[in-house]
């Protein structure tokens, strides 16, 4: 299997240059930790050098202009979701070491959100925006497109997040008003 290195944004701090041996050692260490965490097959590796991170993934991953990295396992059929439509999806979220941090499969029900309402972290919404119902995709979200960090959030540091996503369906939504009550209904 061919592996490629997808560099992210450059470092602005001082970094030591790593020899190919150091990089190989870091890759081996990363793979060992991922195996201990039961990471899925073909899970990307992350090599940190100062503030710069190299993502090492098979060459069948794509990189968007924003820095989002993704791979389609199944493309699906039908139309891609548009702003205002409701998407229903399952996902499994992982940190850089391959440890599962969340899963709708384990929660027992898929997630539903309306596109374009900023209900998702930017990288996640970008990653599902061009999926089709029935599609399965791995999304690697760089910190710049990830969640806010800090003591009041679940996320404690600027790391890449990896999500395996299955888009189940896309529904149109309309606003309905009854007297003084208003809500959105999706069919």
């Amino acid at each position: 299997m061919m592996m490629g290195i997808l560099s992210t944004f450059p470092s602005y701090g001082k970094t030591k240059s790593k020899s190919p041996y150091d990089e190989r050692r870091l890759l081996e260490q990363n793979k060992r930790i991922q195996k201990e965490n039961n990471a899925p097959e073909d899970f990307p590796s992350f090599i940190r050098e100062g503030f710069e991170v190299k993502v090492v993934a098979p060459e069948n991953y794509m990189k968007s202009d924003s820095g989002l990295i993704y791979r389609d396992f199944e493309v699906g059929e039908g139309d891609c979701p548009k702003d205002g439509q409701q998407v229903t999806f399952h996902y499994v979220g992982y940190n850089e070491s391959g440890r599962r941090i969340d899963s709708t499969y384990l929660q027992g029900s898929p997630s539903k959100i309306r596109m374009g309402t900023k209900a998702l972290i930017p990288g996640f919404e970008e990653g599902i925006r061009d999926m089709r119902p029935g599609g399965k995709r791995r999304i690697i979200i760089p910190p710049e497109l990830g969640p806010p960090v800090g003591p009041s959030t679940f996320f404690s540091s600027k790391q890449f997040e990896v999500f395996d996503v299955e888009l189940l369906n896309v529904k149109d939504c309309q606003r309905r008003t009854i007297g003084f009550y208003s809500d959105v209904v999706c069919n």
Side-chain angles (χ1 to χ4, degrees), residues 16-186:
K16 291 195 269 181
S17 64
K18 298 248 188 260
S19 73
Y21 172 77
D22 289 340
E23 197 167 278
R24 188 171 47 249
R25 185 180 52 77
L26 288 171
L27 264 176
E28 289 169 3
Q29 178 182 356
N30 195 306
K31 286 297 182 191
R32 189 172 56 253
I33 291 169
Q34 289 176 1
K35 185 175 181 181
E36 291 169 7
N37 287 332
N38 296 315
E41 192 175 319
D42 288 343
F43 197 80
S45 290
F46 302 89
I47 300 174
R48 291 189 168 275
E49 185 178 341
F51 296 108
E52 188 174 322
V53 179
K54 291 180 183 174
V55 179
V56 181
E59 289 185 353
N60 52 1
Y61 280 78
M62 306 293 289
K63 185 174 180 182
S64 71
D65 292 341
S66 69
L68 186 81
I69 302 167
Y70 62 94
R71 174 184 174 198
D72 285 320
F73 295 98
E74 292 180 30
V75 175
E77 296 179 5
D79 294 330
C80 298
K82 298 174 186 65
D83 283 349
Q85 290 183 313
Q86 180 185 60
V87 292
T88 304
F89 56 92
H90 271 298
Y91 69 88
V92 180
Y94 304 91
N95 63 17
E96 288 180 5
S97 66
R99 177 167 290 153
R100 187 180 61 234
I101 54 176
D102 197 9
S103 170
T104 57
Y105 294 105
L106 292 178
Q107 294 170 13
S109 65
S111 287
K112 294 179 182 183
I113 62 101
R114 284 183 46 229
M115 297 293 287
T117 61
K118 299 188 181 188
L120 293 171
I121 58 175
F124 198 100
E125 185 161 334
E126 179 184 337
I128 63 174
R129 185 165 291 283
D130 64 349
M131 287 182 71
R132 298 176 188 285
K136 294 181 180 180
R137 173 179 282 184
R138 177 166 294 147
I139 303 168
I140 304 171
I141 301 173
E144 298 77 19
L145 298 174
V149 298
S152 63
T153 68
F154 177 73
F155 300 95
S156 59
S157 67
K158 290 270 186 187
Q159 286 197 23
F160 280 75
E161 303 293 334
V162 180
F163 291 91
D164 287 343
V165 182
E166 178 183 7
L167 183 60
L168 301 174
N169 64 49
V170 177
K171 293 181 179 180
D172 289 322
C173 301
Q174 290 82 32
R175 178 162 298 284
R176 86 177 161 184
T177 304
I178 303 169
F180 294 106
Y181 177 76
S182 178
D183 67 356
V184 175
V185 179
C186 301

